[in-house]
Amino acid sequence: MINLFMQDGAQDVDPLLEDEPVEKTLSIIDLLMNGGLAGQIIILVLFVLLFIAVYIYFERLFAVKAASKMDGNFMNQIRDNVSSGNVQAAKALCIQQNSPVSRLTEKGISRIGSPLEDINTAIENAGRLEVYKLEKNVSVLATIAGAAPMIGFLGTVIGMVLAFHQLATSSGQAEMGTLAEGIYTAMTTTVAGLIVGIIAYMGYNHIVVKTDKVVHQMEATAVDFLDILNEPA
C-alpha cells in the first residue's frame, strides 16, 4: 500500500504547470547585436557619435569654465594703471590673467592714443576671435543631435524592409514570431538614435548657455574699459 500511495502521489502533477510557457528574456546587449549586419553597423555608428558628443561636451565645458574665471579686482587694477599712465603694468596684468576678457582688454590697451572708435573696433574684432575659439566644435554637437535620430530611423527602415522582404519571398508563410522579432530588433536603432540625439542636444544647449555668459562678460568688460578711457584725467 505504501508503494501504491507513492505511485499515486508521483502521478498527481498539475497539468497547468507542465504547459506553463517559459518567459523569454533578452538583454540589452543581445537586443542591440541581434539586428543583423545592417543594424549592427547603424548601432556602431551611433556609438561612435555618442563618444564624439560626450568628448566634445566635456572638452568645451572645461574650456568655457576656464575662460570664465576672472579676478574680481581685475578692472580696478586696470583702471589704476591706466589712470596713472602705467600702460606696461596694465599689459602685464592682462598677460598674467590670460583669459578672453584680459585679451580683449590688452587689445584695447595696445590702442591707447588712437581714437575711441578705432579702439572699439579693435576690441570688437578681438572679441569675434575669442567667441570663435569658445564655440569651437560646438556645431558638431548640434549636427549629432539632429543626425543621430535620423540615422537610427534609417536603421529601423532598413530592418522593416528586410522583414517584409522575408515575408514577401515566403509567399506570406513566414512565421509571425520571426517576423515580429525582426521588426522589434530593427526598432532598437531608433531608440539608440534618440538616446544619442537627446544627449547631444542637451549638451549643446548647456554649452551654448555657458558660452553666452562668457560673451556677456566680455561685452561688459569692453564697456568698462571704454568708460575708463572716457573718464576725465
Side-chain angles (χ1 to χ4, degrees), residues 44-58 141 144 196 199:
L44 179 61
V45 171
L46 291 174
F47 270 118
V48 172
L49 292 179
L50 177 61
F51 174 79
I52 294 173
V54 172
Y55 173 79
I56 292 176
Y57 169 74
F58 283 105
L141 275 179
I144 293 176
V196 175
I199 293 174

Side-chain angles (χ1 to χ4, degrees), residues 19 23 27 60-62 72 74 77 80 96 98 107-108 112 118 126 128-129 153 156 164 167 205-206 213 227 230:
D19 297 335
E23 183 180 357
S27 66
R60 284 293 87 199
L61 181 63
F62 294 144
F74 174 72
Q77 292 176 325
D80 294 340
Q96 181 181 0
N98 192 24
K107 180 64 66 174
I112 290 180
D118 294 342
R128 293 190 187 97
L129 294 176
F153 184 66
T156 296
F164 282 104
L167 180 62
N205 284 333
H206 187 235
K213 290 182 179 180
D227 289 342
N230 284 323

Side-chain angles (χ1 to χ4, degrees), residues 69-122:
K69 293 180 179 179
M70 187 183 69
D71 186 3
N73 199 35
F74 174 72
M75 289 308 299
N76 292 330
Q77 292 176 325
I78 293 295
R79 177 180 286 102
D80 294 340
N81 290 325
V82 171
S83 300
S84 62
N86 195 352
V87 177
Q88 294 301 323
K91 285 185 177 181
L93 180 61
C94 293
I95 295 174
Q96 181 181 0
Q97 289 290 326
N98 192 24
S99 66
V101 170
S102 65
R103 286 191 286 269
L104 288 184
T105 306
E106 182 185 5
K107 180 64 66 174
I109 292 173
S110 64
R111 296 293 191 275
I112 290 180
S114 303
L116 286 178
E117 184 177 353
D118 294 342
I119 298 176
N120 187 31
T121 302

